[in-house]
């Protein structure tokens, strides 16, 4: 029988036994103690019941979350772990750049600055768009059919005046001769975007902008990370 | 009374107009023009890249030009990268160039304009059977800049991972 002063230690030991964290000798000792102590066995059974309840509750909650979301969450976790690992491996952090120091100094004011920048961007975009008819953001562009094979227009040919948008679609030239130099590290400025798939998000890293899209079919498939 | 109200409204309109003109003018001229027609031709390269979580982190020679991008934390979860396909597009102003990839995705690019340092483009990516738009965006980017699209899971006979399209455009001519 456990007295009150021994209980915390016994509890911790029992918890470790339950979690499979004891070495062989200690586990055998706890098993022997369990054999002769019905109250402790009851405690262990209670732990098992509690774990089952928690697991079932989590599984029920997990069923409500789309698998695609889990994939994203796991990716974020992977990235975070990888980032932390890299930081730990780095022998000495490189001196922070001027921009990094400015960014750090401005971090407390990030929310109001972002809000102000967002408002300014919206105002500027609105003004620019209203005065620039050449910006073609017509959603139907994405659903244009391919032109019939055998009659590709020259990609360099200027668009005929007054032609319909559908007439301006050209197939890709087959040439792969052009090789561009090393890409310049820069974020893209997104003026307007429409996601048509299951999910979509924009990630600006400072050196490249990544648009993530996901087809509706993808979320139906069993994910490697799904529970 | 009515006369005073009318006068007040008239004055308010005058003040609002006087303030609006310089404000709108400042907004237009303070921002460098992005969409002017200084750029009339562009060359784009689109690389379809498979990013996998298995591998030793080696970046193959044909993706060496993307090394700094792929080394970004954004791609830290991936351990290997494979070039699946490369397409080149030559764009004229307001003319849509389109390419269909082995994955089935159709990618369309339209040059909308640009200035001395930037290009403005319209990008459209369809789903794998080409029936639906996954994303349609108008964006501007530095000349020779790179835009990446993560287009979801991809599996073929021997590989699986996530499919990325690396879109790089530069002025031509």
């Amino acid at each position: 029988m456990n007295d009150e002063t021994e209980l915390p230690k016994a509890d911790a030991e029992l918890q470790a036994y339950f979690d499979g964290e004891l070495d062989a000798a200690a586990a055998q000792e706890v098993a022997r103690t369990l054999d002769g102590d019905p109250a402790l066995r009851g405690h262990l059974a209670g732990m098992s019941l509690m774990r089952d309840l928690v697991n079932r509750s989590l599984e029920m909650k997990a069923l409500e979350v789309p698998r695609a979301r889990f994939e994203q969450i796991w990716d974020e976790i992977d990235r975070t772990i990888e980032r932390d690992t890299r930081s730990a491996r780095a022998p000495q952090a490189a001196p922070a750049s001027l921009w990094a120091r400015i960014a750090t100094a401005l971090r407390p004011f990030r929310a109001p600055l972002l809000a102000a920048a967002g408002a300014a961007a919206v105002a500027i975009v609105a003004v620019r768009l209203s005065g620039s008819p050449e910006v073609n953001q017509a959603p139907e562009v994405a659903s244009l059919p391919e032109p019939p094979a055998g009659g590709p227009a020259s990609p360099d040919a200027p668009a005929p005046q007054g032609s319909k948008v559908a007439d301006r679609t050209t197939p890709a030239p087959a040439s792969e001769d052009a090789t561009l130099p090393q890409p310049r590290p820069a974020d893209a400025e997104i003026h307007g975007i429409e996601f048509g798939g299951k999910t979509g998000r924009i990630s600006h890293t400072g050196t490249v902008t990544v648009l993530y899209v996901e087809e509706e079919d993808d979320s139906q498939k069993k994910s490697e990370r799904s529970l | 009374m009515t006369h005073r109200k009318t006068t007040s409204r008239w004055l308010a309109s005058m003040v609002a107009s006087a303030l609006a003109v310089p404000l709108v003018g400042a907004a237009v001229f303070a921002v460098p023009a992005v969409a002017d027609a200084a750029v009339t031709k562009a060359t784009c390269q689109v690389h379809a890249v498979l990013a996998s979580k298995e591998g030793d982190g080696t970046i193959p020679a044909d993706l060496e030009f993307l090394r700094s991008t792929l080394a970004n934390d954004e791609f830290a979860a991936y351990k290997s990268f494979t070039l699946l396909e490369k397409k080149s597009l030559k764009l004229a102003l307001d003319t849509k160039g389109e390419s269909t990839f082995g994955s089935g995705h159709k990618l369309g690019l339209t040059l909308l304009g640009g200035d001395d340092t930037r290009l403005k483009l319209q990008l459209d990516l369809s789903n794998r059977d080409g029936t639906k738009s996954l994303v349609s965006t108008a964006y501007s980017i530095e000349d020779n800049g790179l835009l990446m699209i993560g287009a979801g899971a991809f599996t073929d006979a021997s590989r699986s991972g996530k499919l990325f399209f690396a879109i790089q455009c530069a002025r031509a001519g």
Side-chain angles (χ1 to χ4, degrees):
Chain A
M1 191 75 183
N2 295 315
D3 63 33
E4 281 186 13
T5 53
E6 287 175 344
L7 202 57
K9 186 188 171 194
D11 266 355
E13 211 166 30
L14 189 64
Q15 185 68 55
Y17 175 79
F18 180 72
D19 293 336
E21 292 170 351
L22 292 180
D23 58 31
Q28 275 182 358
E29 195 180 326
V30 173
R32 270 197 301 276
T33 310
L34 278 167
D35 284 343
D37 192 337
L40 212 54
R41 281 203 301 276
H43 198 168
L44 187 69
M47 283 181 179
S48 183
L49 179 66
M50 183 61 72
R51 183 175 64 181
D52 286 348
L53 286 173
V54 169
N55 280 350
R56 273 184 211 164
S57 166
L58 289 175
E59 281 168 9
M60 294 291 286
K61 289 279 182 198
L63 287 174
E64 296 167 9
V65 181
R67 288 193 176 112
R69 183 66 193 130
F70 272 116
E71 192 76 20
Q72 281 186 338
I73 292 167
W74 276 114
D75 282 352
E76 291 294 333
I77 292 170
D78 272 353
R79 273 195 282 275
T80 306
I81 292 170
E82 185 67 25
R83 201 161 40 231
D84 291 349
T85 310
R86 281 186 187 190
S87 307
R89 276 192 209 138
Q92 196 173 8
S97 69
L98 176 64
W99 286 112
R101 277 179 282 166
I102 291 171
T104 306
L106 291 177
R107 184 161 297 183
F109 312 106
R110 192 168 48 182
L113 281 175
L114 280 176
V122 167
I124 288 164
V125 166
V127 169
R128 300 291 307 169
L129 286 182
S130 65
S132 53
E134 70 272 24
V135 177
N136 183 2
Q137 295 185 45
E140 62 267 27
V141 169
S143 58
L144 287 172
E146 271 197 309
S154 165
D156 290 340
Q161 289 298 316
S163 64
K164 292 177 183 174
V165 174
D167 293 335
R168 297 194 215 161
T169 304
T170 59
S175 69
E176 294 190 2
D177 50 351
T179 299
L180 298 177
Q182 195 86 1
R184 196 170 290 175
D187 272 334
E189 184 183 347
I190 306 295
H191 299 288
I193 191 162
E194 276 183 39
F195 290 111
K198 176 80 175 172
T199 59
R201 69 183 170 94
I202 305 169
S203 174
H204 294 289
T205 69
T207 57
V208 68
T209 296
V210 188
L211 309 179
Y212 289 95
V213 295
E214 189 173 358
E215 291 193 27
E216 298 202 15
D217 289 344
D218 285 352
S219 60
Q220 305 298 325
K221 291 176 188 167
K222 186 166 174 62
S223 160
E224 65 191 41
R225 287 269 176 68
S226 59
L227 294 178
Chain B
M1 192 75 171
T2 308
H3 174 71
R4 193 174 292 171
K5 269 187 182 173
T6 307
T7 306
S8 300
R9 282 181 190 161
W10 185 80
L11 276 174
S13 301
M14 288 294 288
V15 170
S17 304
L19 285 173
V21 169
L23 277 175
V24 170
V28 171
F29 292 108
V31 181
V34 171
D36 60 30
V39 182
T40 56
K41 288 180 185 176
T43 301
C44 297
Q45 284 182 349
V46 185
H47 291 76
V49 178
L50 182 70
S52 172
K53 290 179 180 171
E54 287 83 40
D56 59 2
T58 306
I59 291 175
D62 49 15
L63 291 176
E64 186 61 35
F65 74 103
L66 282 178
R67 174 176 288 280
S68 61
T69 301
L70 299 178
N72 193 292
D73 278 346
E74 191 74 15
F75 300 96
Y78 304 106
K79 302 297 180 199
S80 70
F81 300 93
T82 309
L83 176 63
L84 297 177
E85 222 170 331
K86 175 187 171 184
K87 302 268 188 181
S88 293
L89 291 160
K90 289 179 179 173
L91 304 178
L93 193 64
D94 288 335
T95 304
K96 185 180 183 184
E98 192 170 71
S99 243
T100 302
F101 285 79
S103 61
H105 293 93
K106 281 183 184 172
L107 192 145
L109 282 166
T110 310
L111 176 64
L112 301 176
D115 61 12
D116 290 343
T117 58
R118 294 175 78 81
L119 300 179
K120 187 165 186 179
L121 297 143
Q122 168 80 30
L123 178 149
D124 303 292
L125 179 69
S126 81
N127 63 354
R128 282 168 210 180
D129 54 16
T131 57
K132 193 177 172 188
S133 167
L134 282 182
V135 63
S136 178
T137 181
Y139 69 100
S140 61
I141 195 162
E142 288 214 15
D143 191 13
N144 199 32
L146 186 76
L147 178 74
M148 298 283 286
I149 300 182
F154 177 81
T155 304
D156 67 5
S158 58
R159 300 161 292 202
S160 67
K162 280 203 173 173
L163 179 62
F164 284 89
F165 291 104
I167 300 145
Q168 184 185 2
C169 291
R171 71 186 57 233

